Amino acid sequence: MSTTTIRLPDDLRERIEKVAAARGSSAHAFMVDAVARAAEQEEQRLDFEAEAARRFKRMLRTGEVHSPEAVRTYATALARGEKPTPPVASRMTADELKRLRASARRLGDG
């Protein structure tokens, strides 16, 4: 295990010690746990953004989209523990796809 030194403002260090004591752990264990949770959260955010970028590129390529209503219905059913059939994609019109691609190019996403 490696050692890392971090400088904390006195008031933050006191808060950490107080919370750690209330949890029945050391300040060190509290900080290790907090850093691990922050790293996991950031990894999840990065994975989400990468997946969104992949799906957007696919949408630009294929013109396939799902309506918000269909996605909401599907997600709600999943949240209830059901096993719904995934929504069926529809295709943008050629004009819609052309405008989307032009917008993506202007924004640097295309």
Side-chain angles (χ1 to χ4, degrees):
M1 186 178 288
S2 64
T3 300
T4 301
T5 301
I6 120 178
R7 298 187 193 285
L8 299 172
D10 291 339
D11 63 323
L12 178 58
R13 177 65 189 201
E14 289 170 11
R15 289 171 54 207
I16 291 169
E17 288 173 354
K18 187 175 182 179
V19 171
R23 285 179 28 169
S25 69
S26 67
H28 172 80
F30 177 84
M31 288 186 279
V32 169
D33 183 52
V35 170
R37 281 186 280 120
E40 183 175 341
Q41 185 177 24
E42 187 63 15
E43 289 165 346
Q44 289 175 348
R45 186 189 64 79
L46 292 170
D47 289 347
F48 177 83
E49 289 177 357
E51 180 65 22
R54 281 190 296 276
R55 290 180 185 212
F56 184 67
K57 286 181 182 181
R58 179 177 176 207
M59 184 175 64
L60 288 174
R61 190 179 72 251
T62 66
E64 291 181 347
V65 295
H66 294 87
S67 74
E69 296 80 17
V71 172
R72 186 177 307 109
T73 300
Y74 179 70
T76 301
L78 285 174
R80 283 191 208 116
E82 300 170 11
K83 294 185 179 183
T85 303
V88 177
S90 60
R91 282 199 185 261
M92 294 179 192
T93 66
D95 189 50
E96 288 170 333
L97 187 54
K98 181 179 176 181
R99 285 185 305 205
L100 179 64
R101 288 175 176 161
S103 292
R105 280 193 298 277
R106 280 194 305 276
L107 296 172
D109 289 334

